[in-house]
Amino acid sequence: SSACTKCDGGTWSNASAAICTTCVAGRSSTTGSSACTVCKTGEYSTAGSSSCIACAPGEYQSDTGSSTCDDCARGKHSASTGSSICDDCAEGYFASDEGM
């Protein structure tokens, strides 16, 4: 070949590679990466992602390297994106559904 091509986001390669390898779920990479980065708590990714995605309000993820976020249980909530825990509802308040 007359030139080398950068790996796309969501893939990576070592030196002298003939192909780029797809990042597994729970990891991501930007264009031209030599490794995939593990998603932090409060984030997730699917296979081949160029970035990790923050969990939506009402969801959380307490583990690193996750492929999904979990719904908050009844009686708990997360009001912001990227939560790693769900908070208990305060006295005088309730959450009757999961994912609040």
Side-chain angles (χ1 to χ4, degrees):
S1 177
S2 61
C4 296
T5 304
K6 279 187 180 181
C7 291
D8 291 333
T11 65
W12 65 279
S13 73
N14 291 322
S16 302
I19 61 167
C20 298
T21 303
T22 301
C23 295
V24 298
R27 296 175 181 253
S28 67
S29 70
T30 57
T31 303
S33 292
S34 60
C36 299
T37 303
V38 176
C39 295
K40 301 176 200 172
T41 60
E43 298 178 337
Y44 74 99
S45 75
T46 56
S49 293
S50 58
S51 63
C52 295
I53 301 164
C55 296
E59 299 178 340
Y60 75 103
Q61 184 46 259
S62 57
D63 297 324
T64 59
S66 295
S67 60
T68 61
C69 293
D70 298 316
D71 287 338
C72 291
R74 293 178 187 179
K76 295 182 177 280
H77 76 286
S78 68
S80 60
T81 59
S83 292
S84 59
I85 61 167
C86 295
D87 297 314
D88 291 335
C89 291
E91 290 181 13
Y93 294 83
F94 74 98
S96 61
D97 297 324
E98 291 184 355
M100 299 299 281

